[in-house]
């Protein structure tokens, strides 16, 4: 389970600790039904209960990936470089004082996990650091030839997180990357290959596990390339640590032909998306370097609708069955399900 940590929402004031028990309305961006709960603390308590039940049954429970994003205004640097119109503090690099706050956030999450009795094994320093919506500016000037600034900014965060996890003792691991699956660079984004190539040499060896986000496109929007293969090749070019690295696909799913846009209203479009996702899953499960694949999200996020259930929970998407078949096959040690079974 990927647990998103919106630092900007949790700590808008540096004089207060991160609000890890702040009430959440439980809506899908105001879409009903809603059931409130006490924020990250309640989520970790629920995960801890599931982990205990799994241990008692002799099975494996949830593995948790904590993924941080969102710079509070007090921790952000000012405008600079080539930014998209409307860029806010949320996406900007952090100041030295902000870095201290970032490290304190990690310590507070570790302490909460210890109190709730939940094993927090996997930690990602920042979400989509090659995407200007999460880290901006990507470049000093608005030209693709301008070197990416994102790599140095990300390295600072990864090194800070690694130091805090090392101080906390064994059992905590970095999951590096969380990259948007961009095959090409632009003035406002950094491709997977450019991002990995620009990282400091020592950073590549901080973890053997890297992650990427890739969605199922179809029709005229079908991708001509494979971001997972691009990440593997980029890591392989960085020496022994990169060549040995494993890959996690921590965001995938199907929706519109261009993922993230409004879904087509008909069942035929839903089936096309399911078939495109099925093709990706067949490819990734045959790749020995791919260790995990995460559906994003279970319930539709109206701002990025690729979920398995509609936002109002009234409709189950075709690809829900797809994930069930893969899960059952894995649980029974079987190969991938046959294509005819996958998308009704």
């Amino acid at each position: 389970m990927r647990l998103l940590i919106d630092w900007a929402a949790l700590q808008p004031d540096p004089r207060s600790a991160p609000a890890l028990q702040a009430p959440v309305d439980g809506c899908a961006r105001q879409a009903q039904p809603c059931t409130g709960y006490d924020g990250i603390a309640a989520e970790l308590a629920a995960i801890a209960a599931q982990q205990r039940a799994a241990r008692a049954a002799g099975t494996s429970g949830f593995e948790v990936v904590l993924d941080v994003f969102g710079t509070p205004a007090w921790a952000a640097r000012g405008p600079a470089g080539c930014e998209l119109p409307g860029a806010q503090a949320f996406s900007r690099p952090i100041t030295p004082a902000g870095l201290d706050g970032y490290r304190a956030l990690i310590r507070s999450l570790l302490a909460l996990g210890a109190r709730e009795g939940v094993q927090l094994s996997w930690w990602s320093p920042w979400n989509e650091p090659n995407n200007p919506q999460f880290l901006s500016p990507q470049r000093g000037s608005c030209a693709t030839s301008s070197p990416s600034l994102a790599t140095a900014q990300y390295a600072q965060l990864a090194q800070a997180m690694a130091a805090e996890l090392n101080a906390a003792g064994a059992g905590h691991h970095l999951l590096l990357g969380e990259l948007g699956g961009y095959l090409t660079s632009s003035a406002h984004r950094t491709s997977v290959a450019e991002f990995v190539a620009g990282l400091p040499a020592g950073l590549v060896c901080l973890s053997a596990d890297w992650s990427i986000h890739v969605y199922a496109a179809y029709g005229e929007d079908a991708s001509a390339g494979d971001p997972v293969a691009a990440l593997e090749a980029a890591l392989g070019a960085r020496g022994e640590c990169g060549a040995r690295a494993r890959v996690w696909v921590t965001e995938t799913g199907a929706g519109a032909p261009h993922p993230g846009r409004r879904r087509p209203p008909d069942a035929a479009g839903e089936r096309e998306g399911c078939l495109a996702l099925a093709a990706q899953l067949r490819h990734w499960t045959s790749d020995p370097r791919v260790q995990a694949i995460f559906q994003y999200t279970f319930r539709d996020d109206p701002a990025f609708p690729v979920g398995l259930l509609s936002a109002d929970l009234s409709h189950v998407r075709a690809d829900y069955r797809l994930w069930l078949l893969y899960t059952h096959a894995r649980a029974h040690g079987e190969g991938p399900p046959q294509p005819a079974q996958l998308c009704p």
Side-chain angles (χ1 to χ4, degrees):
M1 179 176 177
R2 191 159 162 263
L3 191 59
L4 300 177
I5 308 297
D6 183 346
W7 182 24
L10 294 172
Q11 195 179 20
D13 188 335
R15 296 168 295 183
S16 301
L20 302 182
Q21 292 181 293
V24 175
D25 63 16
C27 306
R29 299 187 193 266
Q30 288 75 57
Q32 297 279 349
C34 310
T35 299
Y37 58 94
D38 290 334
I40 291 169
E43 290 179 286
L44 289 184
I47 292 167
Q50 199 276 345
Q51 288 180 340
R52 288 192 297 272
R55 286 195 296 270
T59 60
S60 59
F62 285 0
E63 289 279 357
V64 183
V65 176
L66 291 99
D67 188 2
V68 183
F69 65 98
T71 307
W74 59 266
R77 296 180 187 174
C82 183
E83 290 197 318
L84 288 169
Q88 301 293 322
F90 176 90
S91 60
R92 291 193 178 120
I94 61 178
T95 62
L99 188 62
D100 291 340
Y102 175 81
R103 295 182 71 147
L105 170 70
I106 295 166
R107 292 194 296 271
S108 70
L109 289 163
L110 286 164
L112 176 61
R115 289 197 300 273
E116 296 294 347
V118 61
Q119 180 181 344
L120 299 177
S121 299
W122 296 97
W123 297 70
S124 188
W126 205 256
N127 186 61
E128 294 201 359
N130 60 337
N131 177 348
Q133 293 182 351
F134 293 98
L135 198 55
S136 177
Q138 291 282 307
R139 303 183 191 278
S141 64
C142 291
T144 308
S145 58
S146 179
S148 176
L149 303 175
T151 50
Q153 296 162 7
Y154 179 75
Q156 175 182 242
L157 295 166
Q159 289 159 350
M161 179 173 274
E164 293 298 332
L165 297 182
N166 288 338
H172 308 292
H173 313 285
L174 280 181
L175 180 62
L176 292 174
E178 286 294 279
L179 297 173
Y182 303 127
L183 292 172
T184 59
S185 293
S186 74
H188 293 291
R189 69 172 185 247
T190 305
S191 72
V192 170
E194 183 187 2
F195 187 89
V196 174
L199 291 170
L203 191 90
V204 179
C205 294
L206 279 182
S207 177
D209 294 275
W210 290 70
S211 55
I212 191 167
H213 305 163
V214 187
Y215 289 91
Y218 57 95
E220 293 182 356
D221 292 283
S223 174
D226 181 358
V228 170
L231 177 57
E232 291 175 347
L235 289 168
R238 292 305 307 269
E240 187 176 351
C241 291
R244 294 199 311 264
R246 299 176 291 261
V247 173
W248 300 29
V249 182
T250 46
E251 286 189 19
T252 194
H258 187 289
R261 295 181 182 170
R262 187 174 180 179
R263 289 177 178 273
D266 58 314
E270 189 173 308
R271 186 171 186 273
E272 273 199 81
C274 179
L275 290 170
L277 180 59
Q280 285 188 332
L281 292 180
R282 282 198 302 274
H283 176 61
W284 292 333
T285 53
S286 68
D287 182 344
R289 293 185 70 176
V290 174
Q291 299 296 296
I293 306 167
F294 289 46
Q295 160 69 27
Y296 179 91
T297 54
F298 187 76
R299 179 184 187 178
D300 249 353
D301 176 353
F304 199 88
V306 295
L308 302 182
L309 275 67
S310 59
D312 64 4
L313 306 183
S314 66
H315 177 65
V316 180
R317 310 287 185 197
D319 32 332
Y320 181 70
R321 173 181 166 81
L322 169 66
W323 285 107
L324 282 181
L325 289 170
Y326 266 92
T327 301
H328 291 168
R330 180 170 182 172
H332 293 92
E334 301 169 356
Q338 294 301 307
Q341 299 176 279
L342 298 177
C343 298

